């Protein structure tokens, strides 16, 4: 079965073709980061308009690179939510109308389900069940994954998401938006012993997180220190060490508590090399998406859609989007 995946939940337009016999055939992505950068964050209206401009050329691109025609598509999956309502509507209405005109089934998939299945595109890929650490710009969650659509939330952030904390601290350090990857590069030059930032909720018995205090501590530190390059690198290092220690410690605790053997890390922050190094060094059986599929993309939506179709998902007549949508709600 050949499935077209369309992702438009935030500031990336992603389109991909996934074949259930041959795997991912092609994917194409347009990032709006450069467009939003001058505003210091995503401007929803600009995001929606840009998705409209990009989606058709990206579809043409994936068809051409996989040597497929529109008529060969067997099903379409779009991101229904969570995300920006206007941005989601572009992918949803485009996917639904394309499906209608081709006479092919259409389903909406959960963006976070896409993220947490994205390591299945990598080799080796994890078998079910596993614990997933989902760390993106909008979410930080530990989830028990028994199988497709069988998700139990184990813990989550009580305030800022990990990616959001990276982005806000990066902004303080003058690294632009979104600054997670830039902060991580700067941290490589930092001295780990110069500053120490708090590890929020490290010792709490639950599997929840809190990052807003860490961000405030970083702000206080930035204000107190000189603004030279080495100091900024040292602060970046202290921030990254703190957040990574909490993420690693809670993930290992979740694996221990769940009795499961495997950990999957997904979402934009799973691209962080310090996080990957620390988790790998812990000796646990851990899986990540390929770097290109850590942040938002169409491939993970095509994969999630294909798996849903194979499990007999019921196609939709119309379409809808959900700006807010708990992953547990889609558990079967
Ligand atoms: O999954 P994603 O594309 O968006 C959401 O669905 O929210 O994740 C984007 C987030 C941003 O906050 C970005 O700063 C962060 O992932 N990010 C990183 C790295 N690469 C991307 N954070 C830390 N280290 C990185 N290398
Ligand atoms: Zn995402």
């Amino acid at each position: 079965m050949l499935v077209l995946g369309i992702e438009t939940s935030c500031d990336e337009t992603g389109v991909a073709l996934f074949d259930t016999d041959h795997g991912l055939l092609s994917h194409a992505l347009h990032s709006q980061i450069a467009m939003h950068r001058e505003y210091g964050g995503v401007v929803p209206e600009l995001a929606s308009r840009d998705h409209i401009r990009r989606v058709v050329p990206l579809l043409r691109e994936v068809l051409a690179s996989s040597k497929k025609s529109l008529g060969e598509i067997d099903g379409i999956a779009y991101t229904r939510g969570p995300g920006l309502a206007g941005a989601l509507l572009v992918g949803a209405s485009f996917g639904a109308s394309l499906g209608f005109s081709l006479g092919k089934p259409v389903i909406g998939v959960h963006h976070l389900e896409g993220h947490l299945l994205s390591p299945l595109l990598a080799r080796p890929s994890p078998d079910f069940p596993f614990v997933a650490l989902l760390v993106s710009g909008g979410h930080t969650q530990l989830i028990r994954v028994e199988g497709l659509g069988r998700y139990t939330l184990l813990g989550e952030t009580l305030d800022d998401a990990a990616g959001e904390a990276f982005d806000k601290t990066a902004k303080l350090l003058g690294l632009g938006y979104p600054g997670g990857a830039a902060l991580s590069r700067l941290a490589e030059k930092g001295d780990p012993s110069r500053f120490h930032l708090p590890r929020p909720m490290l010792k709490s018995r639950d599997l929840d997180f809190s990052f807003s205090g860490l961000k405030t501590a970083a702000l206080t530190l930035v204000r107190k220190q000189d603004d030279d390059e080495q100091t900024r690198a040292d602060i970046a290092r202290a921030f990254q060490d703190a957040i990574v220690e909490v993420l690693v410690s809670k993930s290992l605790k979740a694996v221990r508590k769940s009795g499961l053997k495997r950990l999957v890390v997904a979402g934009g922050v799973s691209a962080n090399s310090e996080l990957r190094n620390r988790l790998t060094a812990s000796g646990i059986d851990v899986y990540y998406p390929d770097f290109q599929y850590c942040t938002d993309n169409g491939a993970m939506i095509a994969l999630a859609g294909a798996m849903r179709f194979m499990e007999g998902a019921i196609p939709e007549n119309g379409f809808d989007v959900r700006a807010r949508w708990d992953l547990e709600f889609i558990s079967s």
Side-chain angles (χ1 to χ4, degrees), residues 7 9-10 12 82 111-112 115 136-139 267-268 294-297 300:
E7 155 64 34
S9 69
C10 189
E12 261 107 19
H111 181 78
L112 298 183
H115 274 304
S136 71
H139 293 84
C294 288
T295 46
D296 294 348
N297 63 84
M300 66 185 194

Side-chain angles (χ1 to χ4, degrees), residues 2-312:
L2 183 65
V3 178
L4 173 71
I6 303 167
E7 155 64 34
T8 64
S9 69
C10 189
D11 58 351
E12 261 107 19
T13 321
V15 178
L17 280 171
F18 186 90
D19 186 311
T20 49
D21 291 329
H22 301 106
L24 185 68
L25 300 187
S26 59
H27 89 111
L29 190 76
H30 175 78
S31 168
Q32 305 175 353
I33 285 176
M35 183 180 79
H36 296 295
R37 188 164 280 142
E38 63 176 299
Y39 304 97
V42 178
V43 183
E45 181 59 24
L46 293 184
S48 314
R49 288 189 218 164
D50 201 59
H51 287 309
I52 293 172
R53 275 194 292 272
R54 305 293 173 182
V55 69
V56 173
L58 290 175
L59 171 60
R60 291 212 172 99
E61 199 178 318
V62 294
L63 288 170
S65 61
S66 55
K67 300 194 171 53
K68 295 284 179 189
S69 63
L70 271 182
E72 289 174 273
I73 294 172
D74 299 307
I76 298 171
Y78 66 87
T79 303
R80 171 179 291 147
L84 302 170
L88 289 164
L89 272 171
V90 177
S93 54
F94 178 70
S97 32
L98 184 64
F100 185 66
S101 65
L102 296 172
K104 295 295 160 64
V106 179
I107 54 171
V109 304
H110 198 293
H111 181 78
L112 298 183
E113 178 169 74
H115 274 304
L116 68 83
L117 297 175
S118 63
L120 300 181
L121 292 166
R123 292 291 170 268
S125 68
D127 292 325
F128 294 121
F130 52 75
V131 170
L133 170 69
L134 202 70
V135 266
S136 71
H139 293 84
T140 300
Q141 298 184 328
L142 278 161
I143 301 157
R144 183 186 177 102
V145 180
E146 297 287 348
L148 182 71
R150 292 163 64 201
Y151 311 125
T152 313
L153 186 66
L154 303 174
E156 66 181 332
T157 183
L158 305 178
D159 40 57
D160 290 357
E164 192 180 352
F166 263 101
D167 291 342
K168 287 177 176 168
T169 307
K171 211 169 182 175
L172 289 176
L173 295 169
L175 297 173
Y177 177 87
L183 187 149
S184 175
R185 279 193 300 275
L186 182 62
E188 280 171 26
K189 298 180 215 138
D191 171 0
S193 61
R194 180 157 169 216
F195 301 119
H196 182 87
L197 286 169
R199 272 78 171 140
M201 298 182 71
L202 183 65
K203 301 270 186 269
S204 73
R205 300 176 62 139
D206 52 33
L207 295 169
D208 289 333
F209 305 88
S210 164
F211 295 120
S212 72
L214 173 59
K215 175 196 68 195
T216 312
L219 173 66
T220 313
L221 192 57
V222 168
R223 286 199 176 137
K224 268 202 318 222
Q225 300 298 323
D226 293 339
D227 189 23
D228 60 274
E229 182 67 11
Q230 188 57 49
T231 300
R232 294 190 316 123
D234 295 343
I235 296 174
R237 179 65 191 255
F239 170 82
Q240 179 169 267
D241 284 353
I243 200 162
V244 165
E245 187 177 339
V246 177
L247 291 173
V248 170
S249 157
K250 292 269 166 149
S251 300
L252 298 182
K253 189 191 262 185
V255 171
R256 261 195 322 272
K257 272 187 157 182
S258 66
L260 301 181
K261 292 195 198 68
R262 287 175 284 270
L263 177 71
V264 155
V265 189
V269 182
S270 69
N272 186 274
S273 16
E274 184 65 15
L275 177 64
R276 289 188 177 212
N277 293 342
R278 294 281 176 106
L279 282 171
T280 304
S282 76
I284 192 179
D285 198 9
V286 56
Y287 299 83
Y288 311 94
D290 290 342
F291 281 105
Q292 58 181 330
Y293 306 127
C294 288
T295 46
D296 294 348
N297 63 84
M300 66 185 194
I301 302 303
L303 169 72
M307 291 176 74
R308 288 268 166 192
F309 276 121
M310 295 314 276
E311 290 243 321

